[in-house]
Amino acid sequence: MRIAIILTMLLLLTACAQTADSSGQPQWDFDHNVQFQQKKLDEHRYYLKVVSTSKTHFSQLATFLMRKSLDICQSYGFKIEVLKGVEGFNDRRSFPHLIMDSLAANIECKT
């Protein structure tokens, strides 16, 4: 009986621990404390979305975007096309309770 319970628990832990790299499913980076989604568009292009929360600052999101782009492409020379998530300089003054959008970008690796 105990062996069946232990095996079930191990199976559940293994299922929860698996992450998909390019499927577009939400993932969590515990080192940088950010949630992100990564999707492969074609052989050298990827879509990366870094999810904004109330505890993450834009600088943390942008830094993670750069580091993850280098990790994906495995070399420098990649191009980042920001799609959304960059707010204006005076947005916080104009809209003090502005909820920042997630940072989304297309990444093109050097061929």
Side-chain angles (χ1 to χ4, degrees):
M1 180 70 172
R2 283 186 176 181
I3 294 174
I5 293 173
I6 292 173
L7 287 175
T8 305
M9 295 294 282
L10 287 174
L11 181 64
L12 287 173
L13 279 173
T14 305
C16 293
Q18 293 178 354
T19 59
D21 286 339
S22 300
S23 66
Q25 297 296 320
Q27 301 176 53
W28 190 264
D29 186 295
F30 293 103
D31 293 334
H32 299 95
N33 201 23
V34 294
Q35 182 182 9
F36 67 97
Q37 294 176 350
Q38 175 184 333
K39 185 176 180 182
K40 188 172 186 174
L41 301 175
D42 58 36
E43 189 173 340
H44 299 288
R45 293 184 64 227
Y46 295 85
Y47 171 78
L48 185 63
K49 178 181 176 183
V50 188
V51 179
S52 174
T53 64
S54 60
K55 296 180 182 179
T56 54
H57 298 288
F58 176 77
S59 59
Q60 188 176 1
L61 299 177
T63 302
F64 178 78
L65 178 68
M66 292 291 291
R67 289 180 178 160
K68 191 66 179 175
S69 299
L70 180 61
D71 185 44
I72 290 170
C73 293
Q74 297 293 312
S75 68
Y76 290 105
F78 54 85
K79 183 172 78 172
I80 297 176
E81 176 189 4
V82 177
L83 302 174
K84 66 177 183 174
V86 179
E87 62 185 43
F89 182 71
N90 291 324
D91 284 353
R92 288 283 177 197
R93 211 175 319 173
S94 303
F95 307 104
H97 301 293
L98 179 70
I99 298 172
M100 191 174 79
D101 202 9
S102 298
L103 186 58
N106 286 335
I107 301 162
E108 186 176 338
C109 299
K110 187 170 81 171
T111 56

